[in-house]
Structures are given as structure tokens and as C-alpha cells.
Amino acid sequence: MASRITIYGNPAQPDVRRLKREMSVMYVEYDLSDPRKDERAARRLQTELGGSVTLPLVEVLRADDRGSVFLTNPDAATLRQCLYSEEILSITSYWL
């Protein structure tokens, strides 16, 4: 089963590595896709967001099945808040 979270960007880019570390620290599974190499990912982002897309980008599928939340290069606090609000993280699971 695919994760509810996808990080879009070049895996070698420092901000993508930072996001991967954050996800690892929180024990959260995610998918990683580089839209510059993956035409399917590029089309998906174009369809969802239109225009130019700034990378890295984190997509979180909403808990209520009403689309996705897209975060452009979020800092750790913003990423955590989104994961809490979309019921991927809980305060107790994070601290255990």
C-alpha cells in the first residue's frame, strides 16, 4: 500500500535530505519521487497545482479523503502540525 505522504524533489538536494530525516525521526513512512525524472509525478503535480511547481514539495493525502494538502519546503514545525492535523501522527505516538 502506498503511503499517504509523498516527498517530491531530487533526493540529493539538501532540503529533500532534511525532509527525509524529519520523517525518519518521526517514524513516518513516505514515498519519494523526483518529478524531473518521473513523468507521471510531473503530470500529477501539473494537474493538481498547475503552473510552475517549487520543489521540494510534500503531499499529504487528507484523512477525510477530500484531496491533498501540499506543503512547499515546510519547516519541521509546519510538517509536524500538518501530520497531526491529518491524523498521521498523534502526540502520544510521537513522544513514545
Side-chain angles (χ1 to χ4, degrees):
M1 181 175 144
S3 174
R4 287 180 51 201
I5 303 165
T6 303
I7 298 173
Y8 295 98
N10 180 337
Q13 183 185 28
D15 284 326
V16 173
R17 290 195 319 256
R18 176 185 54 80
L19 289 167
K20 290 170 55 178
R21 275 192 309 273
E22 278 298 317
M23 300 300 265
S24 178
V25 165
M26 294 183 288
Y27 299 100
V28 173
E29 292 183 17
Y30 61 91
D31 297 319
L32 179 63
S33 181
D34 186 348
R36 294 186 177 119
K37 294 181 180 178
D38 182 351
E39 182 62 32
R40 184 174 166 202
R43 280 193 312 269
R44 169 150 173 66
L45 292 177
Q46 182 65 31
T47 299
E48 291 292 323
L49 303 174
S52 65
V53 175
T54 303
L55 299 176
L57 184 74
V58 177
E59 176 183 15
V60 180
L61 295 176
R62 291 182 47 168
D64 61 9
D65 290 329
R66 296 183 67 193
S68 295
V69 175
F70 290 92
L71 305 169
T72 302
N73 197 17
D75 59 22
T78 302
L79 180 61
R80 285 187 184 122
Q81 181 59 42
C82 180
L83 297 180
Y84 291 136
S85 67
E86 294 305 326
E87 302 171 2
I88 292 170
L89 278 182
S90 68
I91 293 173
T92 55
S93 69
Y94 180 70
W95 293 108
L96 291 178

